[in-house]
Amino acid sequence: MITINKEIGRIKIKLQAVKMGEDLCVIISGGKEHIGSITFSYEKEANTIAFGTHKEKFVTEAVGEVLNRKYSHNFVICCGIHFDNITKEEIECVKDLALKVTEELCLKIKLE
């Protein structure tokens, strides 16, 4: 398992990834962890499911775009991030950190 942590101020994001044969399972979490959204790609076609009113799809879809460009096999991304009273700036930090941990993952498993 690969684990990558990044933080800016109170925003701390953790990515965990497990190879399943050639496929990849990615979990991105932070704050009060839960399952808010999943994005999965089968044969380069990505789909997203958001649970209820959770907004994490903006994270899983952005990470999915990166993986679809750099990874030739199937993957699933599960994300649950919650910080009380999060600001718009902190929401941008969440997305930036999620993309940074994804790029680091790509380097670690040599997806480029």
Side-chain angles (χ1 to χ4, degrees):
M1 177 182 298
I2 296 170
T3 300
I4 303 166
N5 295 288
K6 297 270 185 218
E7 64 183 86
I8 297 174
R10 74 177 183 123
I11 305 300
K12 298 175 182 158
I13 301 297
K14 175 171 61 174
L15 178 145
Q16 296 173 292
V18 176
K19 291 278 295 211
M20 300 177 72
E22 293 296 322
D23 298 333
L24 186 64
C25 179
V26 177
I27 299 169
I28 301 173
S29 59
K32 295 178 185 175
E33 298 175 336
H34 62 283
I35 299 174
S37 176
I38 61 170
T39 294
F40 57 94
S41 180
Y42 174 73
E43 296 182 350
K44 293 291 192 186
E45 185 170 326
N47 294 283
T48 299
I49 299 170
F51 290 67
T53 60
H54 291 276
K55 306 286 191 266
E56 287 86 357
K57 73 178 193 169
F58 81 90
V59 173
T60 61
E61 288 175 342
V63 170
E65 287 177 18
V66 172
L67 291 179
N68 251 340
R69 283 193 314 270
K70 296 186 175 193
Y71 195 59
S72 59
H73 299 284
N74 303 324
F75 62 82
V76 62
I77 305 156
C78 178
C79 181
I81 299 169
H82 177 87
F83 292 96
D84 289 336
N85 303 312
I86 194 166
T87 66
K88 288 182 180 183
E89 293 80 18
E90 290 173 325
I91 291 170
E92 285 303 312
C93 285
V94 166
K95 187 173 179 181
D96 291 345
L97 289 173
L99 291 172
K100 286 178 182 176
V101 294
T102 302
E103 291 295 337
E104 190 170 327
L105 172 67
C106 291
L107 292 173
K108 284 185 181 281
I109 58 176
K110 299 182 182 19
L111 299 180
E112 297 188 282

